Amino acid sequence: FMDKEGFVSKVHRKKPHLKPMPRHIQKSNAGKSVIRSRVEHVFADQKSKTGLFIRTVGISRATMRIGLANIVYNMRRLLFLERLNASA
């Protein structure tokens, strides 16, 4: 399905059992890790600093809480980048 629709898998490949991992798979996994870490850092920040833990009744309330957490993260990131540019 993915090939037919033009999608590329971004899932890490496992190491073969009792064999060394081929070099091309190591490089492929390393490239995927760069993207994955950028996304995971956002979630970790939201969970630790904003205390994001969703326990609501209804999808609309959960969506609202996640949306507000995203806005807070974006505002904090903007302030950080502005301070970084001001000092440079």
Side-chain angles (χ1 to χ4, degrees):
F1 168 78
M2 290 180 69
D3 290 336
K4 187 174 134 186
E5 295 295 321
F7 293 110
V8 178
S9 175
K10 299 292 183 184
V11 178
H12 282 71
R13 303 266 311 266
K14 282 186 168 183
K15 181 180 95 54
H17 185 64
L18 299 175
K19 294 181 184 176
M21 182 173 279
R23 193 82 179 135
H24 70 282
I25 293 178
Q26 280 182 341
K27 287 184 178 184
S28 174
N29 283 349
K32 294 171 187 174
S33 291
V34 171
I35 297 167
R36 184 178 184 165
S37 68
R38 299 259 171 113
V39 174
E40 292 294 332
H41 278 94
V42 174
F43 291 127
D45 184 80
Q46 286 182 350
K47 193 170 181 181
S48 66
K49 294 194 177 164
T50 61
L52 185 65
F53 183 72
I54 308 297
R55 273 187 83 144
T56 61
V57 176
I59 192 74
S60 60
R61 288 183 183 176
T63 303
M64 180 62 71
R65 285 196 60 163
I66 292 170
L68 290 173
N70 289 338
I71 291 170
V72 169
Y73 175 80
N74 288 336
M75 291 169 69
R76 288 179 51 241
R77 182 76 177 154
L78 176 67
L79 292 173
F80 170 77
L81 292 173
E82 284 181 344
R83 278 190 230 123
L84 191 67
N85 285 337
S87 65

